[in-house]
């Protein structure tokens, strides 16, 4: 066994894992490769025995691991998580309880996003959620499905300008012992319902940029959508004595033609949901707690 063979045998097996890890063995190996005189004919032109080909593959993998680690500016942590990490999916930089996040590839496998979060010490599950075209790559959350009970707060603030799919700052306790869930927007398929990542805002933007449904009757709004070749969904918007409100999906038969629309939102690429103020005979308002529990959430996607 020559010196290169011995160094290859000592290289940390993690160098061949999904994310490069720089070990002492890799660094020694790179130095030995650089110091070794090139042979003729070139290595790629030779017919190598299978055992020797395995050694060459290990050399190439180890060198690639070192180069990749150098390119993203990370190395083997001396104990504890990294403060900065990047892969093809995203980059994360940690400063206390704040994390600067850049989504680089919205089409990446969700596990690549999870790898990046875990590298900086966060136990995170990532789900890819269907969204409109202008939200592809956007990071949503964080959410603790069981309820957040810890010190501090959580949230995301988008930052601009941004040359990537998404740039933002996430704040969450770095020592949180549980698992949080993030969503990354992916392009929804034709007719696929968009994930509902936030509550309906009566004063927010409407579904169509050139037409306002707010204040119009259901009959007039429905006629306009059909003229444009779009389907219609209905949500009753209930208000409560404490000032809160909730929406309830209902069939067309539950909605009066002369009831007034309070807003609209795209349900999918070809359907618009009309948010309607309940009129006479609409029935009692549903219990908002029961409605929320019975409705699937974007962070329940597996």
């Amino acid at each position: 066994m020559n010196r290169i063979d011995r160094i290859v045998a000592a290289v940390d097996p993690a160098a061949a894992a999904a994310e490069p890890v720089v070990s002492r063995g890799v660094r020694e190996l790179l130095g030995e490769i650089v110091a070794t005189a090139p042979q003729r004919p070139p290595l790629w032109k030779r017919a190598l025995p299978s055992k020797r080909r395995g050694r060459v593959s290990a050399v190439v993998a180890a060198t690639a691991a070192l180069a990749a680690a150098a390119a993203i500016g990370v190395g083997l942590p001396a104990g504890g998580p990294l403060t900065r990490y990047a892969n093809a999916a995203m980059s994360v930089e940690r400063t206390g309880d704040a994390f600067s996040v850049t989504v680089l590839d919205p089409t990446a496998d969700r596990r690549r996003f999870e790898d990046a979060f875990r590298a900086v010490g966060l136990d995170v599950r990532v789900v890819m959620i269907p969204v409109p075209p202008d939200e592809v790559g956007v990071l949503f959350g964080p959410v603790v499905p069981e309820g957040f009970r810890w010190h501090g707060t959580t949230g995301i603030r988008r930052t601009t300008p941004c040359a990537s799919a998404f740039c933002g700052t996430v704040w969450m306790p770095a020592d949180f012992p549980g698992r949080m869930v993030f969503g990354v927007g992916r392009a929804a398929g034709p007719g696929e319902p968009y994930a509902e990542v936030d509550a309906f805002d009566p004063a927010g933007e409407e579904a169509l940029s050139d037409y306002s449904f707010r204040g119009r009757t259901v009959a007039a709004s429905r006629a306009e959508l059909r003229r444009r070749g779009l389907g219609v969904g209905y949500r009753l918007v209930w208000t409560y004595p404490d000032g809160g409100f909730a929406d309830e999906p209902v069939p067309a038969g539950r909605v009066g033609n002369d009831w007034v629309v309070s807003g609209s939102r795209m349900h999918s690429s070809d359907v618009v949901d009309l948010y309607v103020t309940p009129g006479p005979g609409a029935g009692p308002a549903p219990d908002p707690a029961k409605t929320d529990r019975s409705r699937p959430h974007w962070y329940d996607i597996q």
Side-chain angles (χ1 to χ4, degrees):
M1 178 180 290
N2 61 29
R3 179 169 172 75
I4 289 181
D5 292 331
R6 288 195 300 273
I7 296 175
V8 169
V11 173
D12 192 322
E19 297 303 334
V21 177
V22 181
S23 68
R24 179 180 176 183
V26 173
R27 296 186 186 279
E28 290 182 1
L29 176 58
L30 181 62
E32 185 67 17
I33 292 170
V34 172
T36 301
Q39 304 295 317
R40 296 291 187 270
L43 190 61
W44 59 271
K45 288 188 176 180
R46 295 189 222 165
L48 298 178
S50 59
K51 183 176 180 180
R52 186 58 177 166
R53 284 199 299 269
R55 291 172 183 160
V56 172
S57 298
V59 170
V60 173
T63 306
L66 180 60
I72 60 178
V74 300
L76 183 66
L82 300 169
T83 58
R84 184 176 60 196
Y85 182 89
N87 59 22
M90 70 183 297
S91 66
V92 185
E93 185 169 357
R94 170 180 173 178
T95 305
D97 285 350
F99 302 82
S100 298
V101 176
T102 301
V103 175
L104 304 171
D105 181 9
T107 66
D109 187 277
R110 64 173 182 84
R111 290 169 292 188
R112 306 291 284 170
F113 295 99
E114 293 174 347
D115 289 344
F117 281 116
R118 288 169 183 162
V120 296
L122 299 177
D123 185 8
V124 165
R125 183 170 70 90
V126 172
V127 296
M128 309 303 292
I129 58 177
V131 296
D134 61 344
E135 293 184 350
V136 172
V138 173
L139 188 69
F140 300 96
V143 171
V144 181
E146 301 80 18
F148 178 72
R149 300 176 184 86
W150 200 247
H151 66 83
T153 58
T154 67
I156 292 179
R157 181 177 65 253
R158 192 166 188 168
T159 57
T160 55
C162 178
S164 298
F166 174 86
C167 303
T169 299
V170 175
W171 63 93
M172 55 186 288
D175 62 348
F176 180 65
R179 171 172 289 191
M180 293 194 175
V181 181
F182 282 92
V184 176
R186 65 165 176 83
E192 181 182 12
Y194 299 138
E196 296 184 18
V197 295
D198 51 17
F200 168 67
D201 179 5
E205 295 182 0
E206 293 205 65
L208 305 180
S209 60
D210 62 344
Y211 188 89
S212 176
F213 296 93
R214 192 173 292 121
R216 300 180 187 271
T217 64
V218 168
S221 300
R222 181 171 53 231
E224 178 63 22
L225 288 172
R226 288 177 175 172
R227 185 183 71 81
R228 294 172 181 250
L230 295 171
V232 188
Y234 302 93
R235 304 272 187 115
L236 295 183
V237 181
W238 300 94
T239 57
Y240 297 92
D242 62 359
F245 64 90
D247 64 270
E248 177 190 13
V250 296
R254 284 275 311 274
V255 180
N257 288 333
D258 58 347
W259 293 2
V260 177
V261 175
S262 60
S264 63
R265 187 159 63 175
M266 294 300 302
H267 177 79
S268 65
S269 60
D270 55 3
V271 174
V272 170
D273 278 342
L274 298 177
Y275 288 76
V276 181
T277 301
D287 183 335
K290 292 181 179 179
T291 300
D292 184 69
R293 286 195 300 269
S294 63
R295 188 181 302 178
H297 300 91
W298 64 264
Y299 45 81
D300 296 322
I301 297 175
Q302 298 298 321

